[in-house]
Amino acid sequence: MYRMSMMPMITAEAIMECVDALGAKIRRNYEFDVIVGVLTGSFIFMADLVRKFPRQDLQVKFIKASSYGDGTRPGELKISGMDLAELKGKKVLLVDDILDTGRTLQALAAQVKAEGAVDVKTCVLLDKPSRREVDFQADFTGFKIDDKFVVGYGLDYAGEYRSYPDIWSLEDAG
Ligand code: IMP
Ligand code: MG
Protein backbone atom coordinates (compact mmCIF):
# COMPACT_ATOMS: atom_id res chain seq x y z
CA MET A 1 0.00 0.00 0.00
CA TYR A 2 1.13 3.51 -0.81
CA ARG A 3 0.06 6.93 0.33
CA MET A 4 0.87 10.44 -0.84
CA SER A 5 3.61 12.40 0.93
CA MET A 6 2.48 15.04 3.47
CA MET A 7 3.55 17.89 1.19
CA PRO A 8 3.85 18.11 -2.58
CA MET A 9 7.34 17.40 -3.92
CA ILE A 10 6.86 20.04 -6.63
CA THR A 11 4.04 22.58 -6.48
CA ALA A 12 1.87 23.52 -9.45
CA GLU A 13 3.38 26.99 -9.27
CA ALA A 14 6.95 25.67 -9.48
CA ILE A 15 5.93 23.44 -12.39
CA MET A 16 4.47 26.45 -14.20
CA GLU A 17 7.71 28.42 -13.82
CA CYS A 18 9.74 25.43 -14.95
CA VAL A 19 7.64 24.83 -18.06
CA ASP A 20 7.96 28.50 -18.91
CA ALA A 21 11.78 28.33 -18.65
CA LEU A 22 11.89 25.05 -20.59
CA GLY A 23 9.82 26.57 -23.38
CA ALA A 24 12.17 29.55 -23.60
CA LYS A 25 15.22 27.28 -23.69
CA ILE A 26 13.77 25.08 -26.41
CA ARG A 27 12.76 28.12 -28.48
CA ARG A 28 16.37 29.34 -28.33
CA ASN A 29 17.92 25.98 -29.22
CA TYR A 30 15.68 23.84 -31.41
CA GLU A 31 13.37 24.69 -34.26
CA PHE A 32 11.16 21.65 -34.67
CA ASP A 33 8.26 20.75 -36.96
CA VAL A 34 6.42 18.25 -34.81
CA ILE A 35 6.02 17.85 -31.07
CA VAL A 36 5.15 14.27 -30.06
CA GLY A 37 3.86 13.50 -26.58
CA VAL A 38 4.28 10.07 -25.07
CA LEU A 39 0.94 9.05 -23.65
CA THR A 40 -0.47 8.86 -21.15
CA GLY A 41 1.74 10.48 -18.54
CA SER A 42 2.74 13.50 -20.64
CA PHE A 43 -0.74 14.76 -21.49
CA ILE A 44 -0.82 17.65 -18.99
CA PHE A 45 2.83 18.59 -19.55
CA MET A 46 2.15 18.64 -23.31
CA ALA A 47 -0.89 20.87 -22.88
CA ASP A 48 1.23 23.40 -20.99
CA LEU A 49 4.37 23.03 -23.12
CA VAL A 50 2.79 23.38 -26.59
CA ARG A 51 1.41 26.79 -25.62
CA LYS A 52 5.00 28.04 -25.34
CA PHE A 53 5.21 27.63 -29.13
CA PRO A 54 2.30 29.60 -30.57
CA ARG A 55 2.86 28.97 -34.30
CA GLN A 56 0.39 28.22 -37.04
CA ASP A 57 2.41 25.36 -38.53
CA LEU A 58 3.29 23.45 -35.36
CA GLN A 59 2.13 19.83 -35.59
CA VAL A 60 1.06 18.19 -32.32
CA LYS A 61 0.92 14.41 -32.12
CA PHE A 62 0.75 11.71 -29.48
CA ILE A 63 2.13 8.22 -29.33
CA LYS A 64 1.19 5.57 -26.81
CA ALA A 65 4.01 3.89 -24.95
CA SER A 66 3.34 1.78 -21.92
CA SER A 67 5.90 -0.13 -19.94
CA TYR A 68 4.65 -0.07 -16.41
CA GLY A 69 1.61 -2.31 -16.42
CA ASP A 70 0.09 -2.08 -12.97
CA GLY A 71 3.06 -1.62 -10.71
CA THR A 72 6.10 0.56 -10.08
CA ARG A 73 8.62 -1.76 -11.76
CA PRO A 74 9.29 -1.52 -15.50
CA GLY A 75 7.89 -4.14 -17.84
CA GLU A 76 7.89 -4.54 -21.60
CA LEU A 77 7.63 -1.44 -23.82
CA LYS A 78 4.62 -1.30 -26.13
CA ILE A 79 4.38 1.40 -28.82
CA SER A 80 1.10 2.13 -30.61
CA GLY A 81 -1.35 4.82 -31.69
CA MET A 82 0.69 6.53 -34.39
CA ASP A 83 2.33 5.74 -37.71
CA LEU A 84 5.96 6.74 -37.20
CA ALA A 85 6.30 7.19 -40.98
CA GLU A 86 4.41 10.51 -40.48
CA LEU A 87 7.64 11.83 -38.96
CA LYS A 88 9.79 11.13 -42.02
CA GLY A 89 11.75 14.23 -43.05
CA LYS A 90 10.66 16.15 -39.95
CA LYS A 91 12.44 17.70 -37.00
CA VAL A 92 10.84 16.08 -34.00
CA LEU A 93 10.60 17.00 -30.32
CA LEU A 94 9.69 13.92 -28.27
CA VAL A 95 8.12 14.74 -24.91
CA ASP A 96 7.70 12.45 -21.94
CA ASP A 97 6.70 13.03 -18.34
CA ILE A 98 9.67 11.35 -16.70
CA LEU A 99 13.00 9.74 -17.53
CA ASP A 100 13.56 6.75 -15.30
CA THR A 101 15.55 3.76 -16.60
CA GLY A 102 15.75 5.63 -19.92
CA ARG A 103 14.54 2.62 -21.90
CA THR A 104 11.28 4.18 -23.16
CA LEU A 105 12.73 7.36 -24.66
CA GLN A 106 15.89 5.70 -25.91
CA ALA A 107 13.85 3.10 -27.80
CA LEU A 108 11.34 5.64 -29.09
CA ALA A 109 13.96 8.13 -30.25
CA ALA A 110 15.83 5.35 -32.07
CA GLN A 111 12.65 4.18 -33.82
CA VAL A 112 11.69 7.72 -34.85
CA LYS A 113 15.18 8.21 -36.34
CA ALA A 114 15.00 4.85 -38.08
CA GLU A 115 11.73 5.96 -39.70
CA GLY A 116 13.56 8.86 -41.34
CA ALA A 117 13.08 11.87 -39.05
CA VAL A 118 15.87 14.36 -39.83
CA ASP A 119 16.38 15.30 -36.20
CA VAL A 120 15.01 14.02 -32.90
CA LYS A 121 15.44 15.78 -29.60
CA THR A 122 13.84 14.81 -26.32
CA CYS A 123 12.26 16.77 -23.48
CA VAL A 124 11.18 15.49 -20.08
CA LEU A 125 9.66 17.31 -17.15
CA LEU A 126 11.29 15.01 -14.59
CA ASP A 127 14.50 13.00 -14.50
CA LYS A 128 15.58 10.35 -12.01
CA PRO A 129 19.26 10.02 -13.01
CA SER A 130 20.04 7.48 -10.28
CA ARG A 131 17.65 4.99 -11.88
CA ARG A 132 19.23 4.97 -15.34
CA GLU A 133 19.84 1.55 -16.90
CA VAL A 134 20.91 2.68 -20.38
CA ASP A 135 23.22 5.47 -21.56
CA PHE A 136 20.65 8.14 -22.37
CA GLN A 137 20.08 11.81 -21.53
CA ALA A 138 17.20 14.07 -22.51
CA ASP A 139 18.13 17.20 -24.46
CA PHE A 140 15.82 19.33 -22.31
CA THR A 141 15.05 18.50 -18.67
CA GLY A 142 12.81 20.24 -16.15
CA PHE A 143 13.55 18.87 -12.67
CA LYS A 144 16.10 16.29 -11.54
CA ILE A 145 14.61 14.33 -8.65
CA ASP A 146 15.65 11.58 -6.23
CA ASP A 147 14.68 7.96 -6.66
CA LYS A 148 11.06 8.33 -5.51
CA PHE A 149 7.93 7.17 -7.30
CA VAL A 150 5.98 10.32 -8.15
CA VAL A 151 2.38 11.00 -9.17
CA GLY A 152 0.21 13.93 -10.20
CA TYR A 153 0.40 16.43 -13.10
CA GLY A 154 -0.40 13.53 -15.44
CA LEU A 155 1.74 10.88 -13.77
CA ASP A 156 0.01 7.83 -12.39
CA TYR A 157 0.40 4.87 -10.14
CA ALA A 158 -1.65 1.99 -11.60
CA GLY A 159 -3.84 4.49 -13.45
CA GLU A 160 -4.60 6.66 -10.40
CA TYR A 161 -3.56 10.14 -9.14
CA ARG A 162 -3.14 11.72 -12.62
CA SER A 163 -5.36 14.77 -12.08
CA TYR A 164 -3.60 16.28 -9.05
CA PRO A 165 -2.12 19.67 -10.07
CA ASP A 166 1.04 19.25 -7.93
CA ILE A 167 3.60 16.44 -8.09
CA TRP A 168 3.67 14.16 -5.04
CA SER A 169 5.88 11.26 -4.04
CA LEU A 170 4.31 7.99 -2.94
CA GLU A 171 5.43 6.52 0.35
CA ASP A 172 5.16 3.00 1.61
CA ALA A 173 2.23 2.84 4.02
CA GLY A 174 3.08 -0.71 5.12
P1 IMP B 1 11.75 4.47 -18.41
O1 IMP B 1 11.61 3.74 -19.69
O2 IMP B 1 12.16 3.57 -17.29
O3 IMP B 1 12.61 5.70 -18.48
O4 IMP B 1 10.30 4.84 -17.96
C1 IMP B 1 9.68 5.95 -18.32
C2 IMP B 1 8.20 5.78 -18.10
O5 IMP B 1 7.92 5.11 -16.87
C3 IMP B 1 7.56 7.13 -17.99
O6 IMP B 1 7.04 7.50 -19.24
C4 IMP B 1 6.47 6.91 -16.97
O7 IMP B 1 5.28 6.55 -17.63
C5 IMP B 1 6.91 5.74 -16.13
N1 IMP B 1 7.47 6.18 -14.83
C6 IMP B 1 8.75 6.10 -14.42
N2 IMP B 1 8.91 6.58 -13.19
C7 IMP B 1 7.68 6.99 -12.80
C8 IMP B 1 7.18 7.61 -11.59
O8 IMP B 1 7.90 7.91 -10.62
N3 IMP B 1 5.86 7.90 -11.58
C9 IMP B 1 5.02 7.61 -12.62
N4 IMP B 1 5.44 7.04 -13.75
C10 IMP B 1 6.76 6.73 -13.85
MG1 MG C 1 5.06 7.26 -19.67
Side-chain angles (χ1 to χ4, degrees):
M1 279 297 289
Y2 292 95
R3 58 171 154 71
M4 286 160 78
S5 47
M6 297 290 289
M7 301 280 288
M9 178 190 266
I10 308 170
T11 64
E13 196 185 10
I15 296 168
M16 213 178 65
E17 279 172 25
C18 178
V19 175
D20 207 45
L22 259 181
K25 188 168 184 198
I26 296 168
R27 281 198 306 272
R28 283 196 303 273
N29 291 284
Y30 188 42
E31 235 176 82
F32 53 94
D33 308 302
V34 193
I35 185 167
V36 181
V38 182
L39 290 172
T40 304
S42 74
F43 79 108
I44 297 178
F45 181 37
M46 274 288 281
D48 286 339
L49 190 63
V50 295
R51 282 177 286 176
K52 308 301 173 190
F53 311 96
R55 303 177 355 211
Q56 182 176 348
D57 62 347
L58 180 67
Q59 301 285 304
V60 179
K61 294 179 189 286
F62 286 94
I63 192 166
K64 175 89 187 161
S66 42
S67 64
Y68 266 70
D70 262 357
T72 55
R73 310 310 301 180
E76 198 186 320
L77 181 71
K78 292 194 197 94
I79 297 174
S80 61
M82 194 191 139
D83 184 2
L84 291 182
E86 290 170 32
L87 303 176
K88 196 178 161 80
K90 308 274 190 197
K91 288 187 180 172
V92 179
L93 181 65
L94 258 181
V95 177
D96 205 354
D97 51 0
I98 186 164
L99 198 52
D100 187 40
T101 66
R103 292 182 186 281
T104 307
L105 267 195
Q106 187 186 53
L108 261 177
Q111 288 201 31
V112 170
K113 266 183 206 145
E115 290 288 337
V118 293
D119 201 355
V120 185
K121 294 202 189 304
T122 53
C123 173
V124 292
L125 179 66
L126 303 168
D127 184 7
K128 292 193 269 194
S130 64
R131 292 260 308 162
R132 203 74 86 250
E133 291 173 9
V134 293
D135 182 17
F136 185 83
Q137 310 264 28
D139 297 288
F140 305 99
T141 300
F143 299 96
K144 290 209 157 105
I145 62 169
D146 294 338
D147 180 10
K148 296 243 167 79
F149 199 84
V150 290
V151 294
Y153 194 71
L155 291 100
D156 74 307
Y157 169 65
E160 299 185 345
Y161 302 98
R162 288 197 200 275
S163 63
Y164 288 92
D166 307 292
I167 290 171
W168 303 75
S169 64
L170 285 190
E171 287 163 4
D172 217 320

